[in-house]
């Protein structure tokens, strides 16, 4: 859970589902959960859960958490193989997914083939060309102002979902391969091979088409279903959470996935014996929800939506015509819109709390267009929080030096002619950061030595 949410809330107290905690205890079996980073919830504003009459959940990366890096490696393999199948060099098959390189939120420059990390204003923080990290003048050559127009979506593509991680790494692999391959001549906006010019733009389009193929063809879903234990985290707390929420409010599932895939994932996560000792029968996963909607096509779902149809759960096919009746419990619906969900469940705007992982598709759209309360699941922030916790002493020291530096300029104005000597503070700041870098290098060397010992 992360502070990037448009509006995040604390999780409910298992003993009192209407109580809001600013620092939450997960549905865990130990009292240490409160201080464990993955189980903490960050609140941007207070919210009285007694006013929430309905809870909605996305499925992918929300209820269904995919194992990392196994799932990203699978996605990368399918994307890479697809490119090779349409004519890209077979040498690309030598690349394997490295989870240490990509991160969510990078920007791909379709003109120059660079991956950029930028702040909310478009200022460039990090720039890579393939796997080469560019510095100083090299970055200035591409971006003289060290700045990009993030709203130029024709040129810059934001890789802002967890599904994009494998795609992000593939862009780096392609640039790395063509840059180092002697058969291709490096050009500013691509690569030349005889009469063939491979632009970064066309490369981007090929990867995007491959991404669509992997998802639309069902190859990623098929591989996932065949090895659920390998790719999907089975958390026994999920059915407990949904059961407790359903005792005090209505619950719905709204996912972009189709029925067959949703059915397989939800059975794996939710259909467990009620009691191992008593041998009680499994509870059907659909009974955890008052309403289930698949094929939602978010963010279109939060706008005009699509035709609402019923799903034949025996065949997986959609029934003819638009469904216009009342809510039928146990029925699976396809398409529709957020307005339809509100009508079927008889709830409105701020009475709904929606939980999702995509800050644009799930969080911003549902809040701005419908006024829903929102809860963002951001598992990739766990690592950042761990860094902040582990290195807090470093940040505090730098903060203290920054305050001390401000004191030198505190009483200066336009009439001041003497420039304060801040060299000692600058030297100290440099020493602090260099000391930390040295510790990191020593740690990497130590790990390398241990790996060598293991090999021998």
């Amino acid at each position: 859970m992360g502070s990037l949410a448009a509006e995040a809330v604390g999780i409910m107290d298992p003993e009192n589902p209407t109580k809001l905690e600013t620092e939450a205890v997960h549905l865990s079996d130990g009292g240490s959960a409160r201080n464990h980073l993955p189980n903490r919830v960050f609140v941007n504003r207070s919210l009285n859960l007694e006013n929430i009459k309905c809870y909605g959940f996305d499925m992918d990366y929300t209820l269904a958490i995919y194992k990392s890096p196994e799932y990203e490696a699978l996605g990368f393999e399918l994307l890479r193989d697809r490119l090779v199948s349409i004519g890209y060099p077979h040498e690309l098959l030598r690349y394997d997914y490295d989870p240490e390189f990509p991160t969510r939120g990078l920007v791909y420059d379709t003109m120059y083939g660079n991956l950029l990390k930028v702040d909310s204003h478009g200022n460039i923080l990090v720039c890579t060309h393939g796997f080469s990290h560019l510095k100083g003048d090299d970055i200035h050559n591409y971006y003289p102002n060290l700045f990009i127009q993030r709203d130029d979506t024709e040129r810059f593509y934001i890789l802002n979902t967890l599904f994009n991680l494998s795609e992000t790494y593939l862009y780096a692999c392609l640039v790395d391969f063509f840059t180092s391959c002697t058969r291709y001549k490096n050009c500013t906006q691509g690569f030349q091979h005889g009469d063939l010019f491979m632009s970064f733009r066309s490369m981007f389009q090929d990867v995007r088409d491959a991404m669509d193929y992997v998802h639309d063809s069902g190859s990623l879903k098929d591989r996932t279903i065949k090895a659920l234990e390998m790719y999907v985290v089975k958390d026994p707390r999920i059915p407990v959470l949904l059961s407790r929420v359903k005792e005090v409010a209505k619950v719905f599932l709204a996912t972009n996935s189709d029925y067959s895939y949703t059915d397989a994932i939800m059975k794996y996560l939710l259909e467990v014996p009620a009691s191992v000792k008593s041998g009680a029968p499994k509870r059907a996963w659909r009974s955890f929800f008052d309403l289930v909607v698949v094929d939602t096509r978010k963010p279109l779902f939060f706008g005009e939506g699509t035709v609402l149809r019923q799903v034949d759960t025996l065949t997986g096919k959609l029934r003819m015509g638009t469904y216009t009746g009342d809510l039928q419990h146990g029925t699976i619906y396809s398409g529709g819109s957020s307005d339809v969900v509100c009508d079927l469940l008889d709830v409105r705007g701020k009475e709904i709390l929606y939980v999702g992982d995509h800050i644009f598709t799930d969080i911003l759209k549902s809040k701005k267009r419908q006024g829903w309360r929102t809860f963002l699941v951001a598992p990739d922030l766990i690592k950042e929080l761990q860094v902040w916790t582990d290195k807090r002493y470093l940040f505090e020291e730098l903060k203290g030096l920054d305050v001390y530096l401000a004191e030198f300029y505190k009483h200066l104005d336009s009439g001041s002619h003497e420039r304060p000597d801040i060299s000692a503070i600058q030297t100290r700041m440099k020493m602090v950061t260099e000391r930390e870098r040295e510790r990191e290098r020593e740690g990497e060397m130590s790990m390398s030595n241990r790996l060598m010992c293991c090999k021998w």
Side-chain angles (χ1 to χ4, degrees):
M1 317 302 177
S3 56
L4 288 180
E7 175 182 21
V9 301
I11 204 166
M12 292 177 296
D13 185 335
E15 301 301 324
N16 181 6
T18 62
K19 179 182 178 182
L20 174 66
E21 298 185 337
T22 56
E23 218 175 79
V25 179
H26 228 324
L27 298 177
S28 66
D29 54 3
S32 62
R34 185 181 296 276
N35 296 318
H36 189 44
L37 287 175
N39 293 326
R40 295 179 68 177
V41 177
F42 297 84
V43 185
N44 283 357
R45 57 174 294 182
S46 297
L47 176 62
N48 188 347
L49 293 186
E50 290 183 342
N51 297 329
I52 300 300
K53 297 181 180 180
C54 181
Y55 291 82
F57 293 89
D58 183 26
M59 184 179 75
D60 296 310
Y61 284 109
T62 301
L63 291 178
I65 300 298
Y66 296 102
K67 294 183 179 180
S68 182
E70 292 84 356
Y71 193 67
E72 291 83 24
L74 172 63
F76 174 80
E77 175 190 330
L78 294 173
L79 284 174
R80 179 200 63 195
D81 293 354
R82 174 61 181 173
L83 288 184
V84 172
S85 72
I86 64 173
Y88 274 72
H90 281 73
E91 291 97 322
L92 288 173
L93 297 175
R94 297 182 305 203
Y95 286 92
D96 293 316
Y97 183 74
D98 180 4
E100 295 299 318
F101 181 82
T103 186
R104 179 160 64 157
L106 297 182
V107 177
Y108 181 71
D109 183 353
T110 62
M111 180 179 291
Y112 296 130
N114 298 325
L115 284 169
L116 307 170
K117 182 177 182 179
V118 301
D119 64 17
S120 58
H121 302 291
N123 298 305
I124 297 174
L125 306 176
V126 179
C127 176
T128 66
H129 191 74
F131 296 116
S132 300
H133 287 262
L134 305 184
K135 303 291 183 181
D137 292 340
D138 293 330
I139 301 179
H140 275 282
N141 290 336
Y142 288 112
Y143 316 99
N145 297 320
L146 299 180
F147 171 84
I148 66 168
Q149 293 284 352
R150 293 186 60 184
D151 56 356
D152 183 2
T153 55
E154 284 296 314
R155 175 177 172 181
F156 299 106
Y157 183 75
I158 303 176
L159 299 147
N160 53 23
T161 76
L162 293 171
F163 282 114
N164 289 136
L165 290 176
S166 54
E167 180 183 355
T168 302
Y169 189 67
L170 184 56
Y171 289 129
C173 291
L174 290 172
V175 174
D176 177 73
F177 169 75
F178 286 110
T179 299
S180 58
C181 183
T182 56
R183 299 197 304 270
Y184 297 87
K185 177 184 176 182
N186 286 273
C187 303
T188 304
Q189 298 186 19
F191 306 95
Q192 188 79 39
H193 178 58
D195 296 330
L196 173 67
F197 179 70
M198 172 72 73
S199 69
F200 293 117
R201 179 73 191 182
S202 63
M203 192 183 302
F204 163 76
Q205 192 58 59
D206 288 340
V207 174
R208 287 269 77 222
D209 291 344
M211 192 74 170
D212 291 339
Y213 174 83
V214 166
H215 285 277
D216 295 343
S217 68
S219 56
L220 178 62
K221 295 175 181 177
D222 291 342
R223 291 280 296 272
T224 303
I225 291 175
K226 290 178 181 178
L228 287 171
E229 292 186 357
M230 180 181 296
Y231 298 119
V232 183
V233 176
K234 188 168 187 176
D235 191 336
R237 298 171 295 182
I238 293 178
V240 178
L241 169 66
L242 293 176
S243 296
R244 291 175 178 173
V245 172
K246 201 168 186 292
E247 291 176 1
V248 298
K250 297 175 182 178
V251 183
F252 71 90
L253 176 69
T255 174
N256 282 357
S257 295
D258 58 40
Y259 169 70
S260 297
Y261 185 70
T262 301
D263 184 55
I265 295 295
M266 288 292 99
K267 281 183 177 178
Y268 176 71
L269 293 177
L270 300 179
E271 293 192 0
V272 296
S275 173
V276 177
K277 293 183 180 180
S278 65
K282 295 179 179 179
R283 178 181 173 182
W285 71 266
R286 281 177 280 178
S287 67
F288 287 90
F289 304 97
D290 294 285
L291 171 66
V292 176
V293 186
V294 299
D295 303 314
T296 55
R297 295 181 62 187
K298 292 176 286 185
L300 187 64
F301 178 76
F302 294 111
E304 62 270 27
T306 57
V307 174
L308 180 70
R309 302 172 69 178
Q310 288 182 309
V311 179
D312 186 332
T313 56
L314 295 178
T315 64
K317 295 181 179 180
L318 302 181
R319 293 178 178 171
M320 294 294 293
T322 301
Y323 183 76
T324 59
D326 296 329
L327 175 64
Q328 296 181 9
H329 291 281
T331 299
I332 305 296
Y333 299 91
S334 171
S337 67
S338 52
D339 289 329
V340 172
V341 168
C342 292
D343 292 338
L344 289 175
L345 294 174
D346 192 25
V347 290
R348 289 293 177 270
K350 295 182 179 179
E351 297 175 336
I352 300 174
L353 174 63
Y354 187 67
V355 185
D357 69 288
H358 196 308
I359 194 168
F360 297 109
T361 301
D362 293 323
I363 304 303
L364 294 182
K365 295 298 183 183
S366 64
K367 186 167 186 64
K368 288 185 175 181
R369 293 186 179 181
Q370 297 293 339
W372 291 6
R373 302 297 192 180
T374 51
F375 192 122
L376 177 68
V377 178
D380 41 352
L381 285 183
I382 293 174
K383 185 175 181 180
E384 293 188 31
L385 291 170
Q386 289 172 337
V387 170
W388 173 258
T389 301
D390 296 341
K391 308 295 184 183
R392 189 158 189 170
Y393 67 92
L394 176 65
F395 300 134
E396 291 295 336
E397 186 172 357
L398 289 173
K399 181 180 177 180
L401 290 171
D402 192 49
V403 171
Y404 189 48
L405 181 63
E407 289 294 325
F408 277 83
Y409 293 92
K410 185 176 182 180
H411 302 291
L412 300 182
D413 58 23
S414 59
S416 303
H417 299 287
E418 295 184 3
R419 182 179 180 181
D421 183 6
I422 60 172
S423 58
I425 301 179
Q426 291 177 321
T427 300
R428 180 60 181 168
M429 287 181 168
K430 186 175 181 179
M431 288 176 59
V432 172
T433 54
E434 286 296 329
R435 182 183 64 199
E436 189 57 35
R437 287 174 184 157
E438 186 60 32
R439 287 179 180 175
E440 292 177 355
R441 284 193 290 267
E442 289 176 357
E444 293 172 357
M445 288 294 293
S446 177
M447 177 62 73
S448 177
N449 291 335
R450 287 198 295 271
L451 290 174
M452 289 299 292
C453 290
C454 290
K455 291 180 180 179
W456 285 103

